[in-house]
Amino acid sequence: CADVTGVQTCALPILASVGVDIMLFPLSAFRAMSKSAEHVYNVIAQQGTQQDLLGTMQTRDELYEQLDYHSYEKTLDDLFKK
């Protein structure tokens, strides 16, 4: 195990050697998104635009695909047609 910025972390092979079958990382993605969001807001505050960030951002189409948004939208349309 290693101490990374005050947080104890262990690799799966090390934990597997003592019988651990699964590791959960419940906040890793959230913490990564939060750090990214902080950067985005700092750039926008400094530059007044997100233009320089567009190459690192998901496109709207990629976001909709990830969320399966069009299926959700169709479900809502069908629901409210009735």
Side-chain angles (χ1 to χ4, degrees), residues 6 9 21 25 28 36 43 50 54 56 74 78 81:
T9 61
D21 293 327
F25 300 90
S28 294
S36 235
V43 169
Q50 84 283 22
L54 293 178
T56 65
K74 182 182 179 327
D78 292 345
K81 280 182 191 176

Side-chain angles (χ1 to χ4, degrees), residues 35-55:
K35 183 73 171 182
S36 235
E38 180 181 11
H39 174 69
V40 166
Y41 292 133
N42 284 332
V43 169
I44 291 171
Q46 292 169 3
Q47 299 179 9
T49 180
Q50 84 283 22
Q51 185 65 38
D52 289 344
L53 299 167
L54 293 178

Side-chain angles (χ1 to χ4, degrees), residues 57-67 69-70:
M57 294 169 56
Q58 244 181 350
T59 66
R60 187 172 303 218
D61 286 340
E62 290 169 332
L63 175 63
Y64 284 4
E65 183 178 334
Q66 182 71 34
L67 298 175
Y69 180 80
H70 296 296

Side-chain angles (χ1 to χ4, degrees), residues 25-32:
F25 300 90
L27 292 177
S28 294
F30 175 78
R31 290 173 50 211

Side-chain angles (χ1 to χ4, degrees), residues 5-42:
T5 63
V7 177
Q8 196 73 10
T9 61
C10 295
L12 185 55
I14 294 168
L15 293 174
S17 72
V18 294
V20 174
D21 293 327
I22 188 171
M23 288 176 59
L24 300 177
F25 300 90
L27 292 177
S28 294
F30 175 78
R31 290 173 50 211
M33 289 184 295
S34 184
K35 183 73 171 182
S36 235
E38 180 181 11
H39 174 69
V40 166
Y41 292 133
N42 284 332

